[in-house]
């Protein structure tokens, strides 16, 4: 296989169930190096599960996930640890460590994951906080002292602190007002471009998806039902995408009113 | 009849599966400690949490246990003129049995619950997944320091509880029951052997490990939101308390036979 043609991330036939509920039912998707892919879909369609499978936090029952051409399903030990160095992740709720100060949160991966000396890691953490528009004084606060928007920025600073090759964004604008959501979207675009990273984001916020994506894929009932360039999203010709993009209750997507 | 047997079988299989999961969880955490990185600062923090902050509740419980033991022994032994055995009964009961069990149960209520709540909250807010994405093994970072701290700290706590419990018995015996202080202390030392204390400390180490393991295990496997965390906290305390009593019997049979 030609190295230039190898996708950064290649997902093939991934299946994952929780009890009787099949969440992922043969997902196929590629993401090229340096590309920003956004996966859209309704709540409970398995977007977070797919990202957790790629990250190795969940193990799929079937299928293949290749990073830089290397099979990662079932990878453990030192190989998994080395692979994790390539990743950064912004969690939906921030997932900041309550017991640590903000700068320690940002520097955590550098100190604990890579064994960097605390002083040096602190300098980098302050730089990363500045990159997301937060002053050094914020570094001394605890996460509980920050607003939701500031927590997202800190989580973004933590995700980019170790300059990962691949960054995942899980619902980056959920719970934010439109202005703060736009600030976060711009920061994501800026940070990803500056790092030259590959980005996979999951969201149901179409404004956010259009701003940060090079390409959009739609996940429905455990499968990718459409994917294409961001410019095509408004005239995809796919009834699932059309209904989702325009937020219509009527259409092929029937919302589950009860948990399965 | 077949339905009944199937139900019993299902319960038994579920028990075996749960035991297996617990065993694997503990084994994975312990194996993680065989290679660096190590987190001595986290172990020290947990030692302070378990040991120092549990001292008031364990000390107070031990004091009253020793006092009650002296009173109860007196009311029983005085019926056949064996009052002189009270000091021995108090010291042997405290060191071999009540010190470790009471400290274990108190720490299970105070520390085991806190561990389950803290780790459970980290689970439901994705902080444990965040650790993994930051190239940090959650078992090595969150669980192992607590297991080590539980193993090391409870024996020290029990040693203090032993002394305070014996002191409680001494106070009641000398001030309320009219024993001669020197004679009481002489009787306390007369039949006490080093192994009585050591075996009690071995029990304490096992109980400390159990409390930390159950707190970490139930917290780590929390599901849902606040309700799930509350549930895992309850499970941590109840299962640790039951296991302490079960292992108390097993260790007593093994150590004191």
């Amino acid at each position: 296989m030609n190295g230039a043609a190898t996708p950064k991330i290649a997902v093939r036939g991934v299946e994952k169930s929780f009890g009787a509920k099949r969440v992922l039912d043969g997902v196929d998707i590629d993401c090229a190096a340096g590309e920003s892919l956004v996966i859209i879909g309704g709540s409970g369609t398995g977007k977070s599960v797919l990202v957790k499978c790629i990250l190795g936090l969940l193990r799929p029952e079937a299928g293949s996930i290749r990073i830089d051409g290397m099979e990662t399903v079932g990878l453990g030990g030192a190989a998994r640890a080395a692979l994790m160095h390539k990743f950064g992740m912004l969690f939906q709720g921030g997932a900041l460590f309550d017991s640590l100060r903000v700068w320690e949160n940002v520097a955590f991966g550098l100190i604990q994951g890579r064994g960097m000396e605390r002083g040096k890691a602190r300098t980098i953490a302050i730089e990363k906080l500045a990159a997301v528009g937060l002053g050094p004084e914020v570094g001394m606060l605890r996460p509980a002292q920050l607003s939701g928007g500031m927590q997202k920025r800190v989580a973004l600073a933590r995700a980019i602190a170790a300059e990962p090759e691949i960054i995942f964004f899980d619902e980056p604008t959920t719970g934010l007002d439109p202005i703060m959501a736009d600030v976060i979207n711009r920061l994501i675009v800026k940070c990803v471009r500056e790092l030259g990273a590959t980005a996979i984001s999951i969201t149901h916020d179409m404004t956010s998806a259009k701003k940060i994506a090079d390409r959009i894929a739609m996940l429905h009932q455990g499968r990718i039902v459409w994917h294409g360039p961001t410019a095509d999203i408004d005239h995809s010709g796919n009834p699932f995408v059309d209904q989702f993009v325009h937020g219509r209750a009527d259409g092929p997507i029937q919302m589950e009113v009860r948990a399965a | 009849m077949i339905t009944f047997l199937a139900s019993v079988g299902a319960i038994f299989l579920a028990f075996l599966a749960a035991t297996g999961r617990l065993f694997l969880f503990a084994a994975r955490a312990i194996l993680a400690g065989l290679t660096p990185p190590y987190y001595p600062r986290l172990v020290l923090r947990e030692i302070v949490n378990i040991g120092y902050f549990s001292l008031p509740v364990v000390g107070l419980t031990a004091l009253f246990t020793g006092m009650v033991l002296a009173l109860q022994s007196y009311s029983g032994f005085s019926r056949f003129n064996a009052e002189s055995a009270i000091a021995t009964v108090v010291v042997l009961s405290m060191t071999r049995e009540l010190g470790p069990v009471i400290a274990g149960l108190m720490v299970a209520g105070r520390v085991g619950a806190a561990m389950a709540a803290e780790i459970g909250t980290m689970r439901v807010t994705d902080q444990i997944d965040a650790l993994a994405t930051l190239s940090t093994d959650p078992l090595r970072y969150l669980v192992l320091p607590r297991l080590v701290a539980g193993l090391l700290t409870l024996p020290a706590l029990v040693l203090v509880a032993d002394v305070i419990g014996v002191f409680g018995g001494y106070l009641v015996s000398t001030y309320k029951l009219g024993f001669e202080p020197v004679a009481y202390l002489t009787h306390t030392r007369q039949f006490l052997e080093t192994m009585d204390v050591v075996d009690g400390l071995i029990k304490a180490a096992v109980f400390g490990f159990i409390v930390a393991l159950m707190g970490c295990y139930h917290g780590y496997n929390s599901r849902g939101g606040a309700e799930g965390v509350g549930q895992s906290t309850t499970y941590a305390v109840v299962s640790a308390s039951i296991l302490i009593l079960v292992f108390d019997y097993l260790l007593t049979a093994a150590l004191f036979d």
Side-chain angles (χ1 to χ4, degrees):
Chain A
M1 187 181 284
N2 187 323
T6 304
K8 189 74 177 171
I9 302 165
V11 178
R12 291 286 177 276
V14 166
E15 296 176 11
K16 179 70 187 172
S17 302
F18 294 97
K21 184 173 174 63
R22 173 156 287 198
V23 179
L24 301 179
D25 189 16
V27 173
D28 296 311
I29 190 78
D30 285 348
C31 186
E35 184 181 38
S36 176
L37 171 70
V38 170
I39 301 170
I40 58 171
S43 301
T45 51
K47 304 186 297 294
S48 295
V49 173
L50 175 59
V51 164
K52 286 185 177 181
C53 285
I54 298 172
L55 275 165
L57 300 175
L58 291 174
R59 185 172 180 162
E61 283 113 30
S64 159
I65 298 169
R66 290 179 175 269
I67 309 285
D68 290 325
M70 184 180 75
E71 181 60 54
T72 64
V73 175
L75 206 62
R80 170 62 64 186
L83 181 68
M84 294 308 273
H85 282 155
K86 292 187 177 185
F87 298 147
M89 170 88 183
L90 186 154
F91 287 86
Q92 185 175 350
L96 300 175
F97 305 125
D98 314 315
S99 56
L100 302 179
R101 281 174 289 191
V102 164
W103 80 263
E104 290 172 315
N105 266 281
V106 177
F108 191 92
L110 300 170
I111 297 169
Q112 306 296 353
R114 305 192 181 202
M116 188 181 284
E117 188 265 322
R118 278 175 74 84
K120 193 176 172 191
R122 182 175 179 163
T123 306
I124 293 173
I126 299 298
E127 283 172 16
K128 297 300 177 189
L129 284 171
V132 297
L134 296 172
E137 70 285 356
V138 176
M140 296 307 292
L141 301 175
R142 301 270 171 184
Q145 295 172 282
L146 306 179
S147 67
M150 287 171 89
Q151 288 190 12
K152 287 270 177 165
R153 290 199 214 191
V154 173
L156 177 58
R158 186 174 70 177
I160 62 171
E163 303 192 347
E165 295 175 30
I166 303 167
I167 313 178
F168 298 89
F169 301 98
D170 185 354
E171 306 281 9
T173 55
T174 298
L176 301 179
D177 65 70
I179 296 168
M180 183 53 73
D182 194 50
V183 169
I184 295 293
N185 287 333
R186 287 180 187 205
L187 283 172
I188 287 173
V189 172
K190 172 177 159 265
C191 293
V192 169
R193 284 198 184 139
E194 281 176 3
L195 288 174
T198 304
I200 293 188
S201 312
I202 52 180
T203 186
H204 44 61
D205 175 354
M206 285 314 301
T207 309
S208 174
K210 288 175 185 173
K211 280 197 173 143
I212 63 180
D214 297 324
R215 203 156 58 90
I216 296 179
M218 178 153 179
L219 189 65
H220 178 65
Q221 291 190 335
R223 287 172 179 268
I224 300 292
V225 292
W226 180 86
H227 65 91
T230 307
D232 294 351
I233 192 77
D234 287 322
H235 44 87
S236 66
N238 182 296
F240 294 97
V241 176
D242 284 346
Q243 184 189 352
F244 189 83
V245 168
H246 296 106
R248 289 193 294 259
D250 297 323
I253 304 172
Q254 297 300 310
M255 299 303 290
E256 289 181 18
V257 291
R258 285 187 302 175
Chain B
M1 184 63 183
I2 288 175
T3 311
F4 173 73
L5 287 176
S7 302
V8 172
I11 291 168
F12 184 64
L13 287 176
F15 171 75
L16 287 182
T19 307
R21 280 195 295 272
L22 178 64
F23 182 80
L24 283 175
F25 179 83
R28 283 173 54 212
I30 292 166
L31 286 175
L34 299 179
T35 53
Y38 305 110
Y39 300 107
R41 282 174 61 166
L42 293 180
V43 175
L44 276 176
R45 195 184 77 177
E46 292 304 323
I47 285 176
V48 172
N49 270 342
I50 299 172
Y52 182 73
F53 291 117
S54 298
L55 262 178
V57 66
V58 170
L60 207 62
T61 318
L63 181 73
F64 281 100
T65 303
M67 291 165 72
V68 169
L69 202 56
L71 274 183
Q72 289 281 24
S73 304
Y74 181 79
S75 74
F77 290 178
S78 61
R79 292 173 196 173
F80 39 90
N81 299 321
E83 295 92 335
S84 61
I86 290 174
T88 307
V89 167
V90 169
V91 73
L92 291 185
S93 302
M94 283 307 302
T95 54
R96 292 167 62 147
E97 179 64 27
L98 294 173
V101 170
I102 284 171
L105 292 175
M106 288 296 121
V107 170
R110 206 193 75 82
V111 178
M115 282 182 186
E118 185 180 350
I119 296 178
T121 304
M122 290 185 75
R123 166 61 73 196
V124 301
T125 56
D126 287 331
Q127 291 179 52
I128 292 181
D129 285 344
L131 278 175
T133 65
L134 293 166
S135 303
T136 303
D137 180 354
L139 289 176
R140 191 195 301 272
Y141 185 81
L142 288 177
V143 178
L144 188 63
R146 286 169 168 84
L147 295 182
V148 172
L151 191 76
L152 296 178
T153 312
L154 208 63
L157 209 51
V158 164
L159 208 55
V160 175
D162 287 348
V163 173
I164 293 175
V166 169
F167 179 65
Y170 168 85
L171 285 179
V172 168
S173 300
T174 54
Y175 289 100
K176 185 171 170 65
L177 305 176
F179 280 75
E180 168 61 36
V182 175
Y184 186 89
L185 290 176
T186 306
H187 280 126
T188 296
R189 289 178 54 190
Q190 197 171 14
F191 295 105
L192 179 68
E193 294 175 10
T194 307
M195 285 315 291
D196 294 323
V197 179
V198 171
D199 289 349
L201 298 184
I202 292 171
K203 277 185 174 183
V206 174
F207 297 167
F209 184 81
I210 287 172
V211 168
L213 177 62
M214 300 319 287
C216 293
Y217 177 75
H218 288 290
Y220 200 85
N221 291 293
S222 289
R223 290 289 177 269
E227 187 183 2
V229 175
Q231 214 167 42
S232 56
T233 305
T234 305
Y235 289 156
V237 175
V238 171
S239 57
S241 302
I242 291 171
L243 282 177
I244 283 172
L245 296 175
V246 170
F247 273 84
D248 183 41
Y249 173 78
L250 296 175
L251 289 170
T252 302
L255 295 171
F256 297 115
D257 263 1

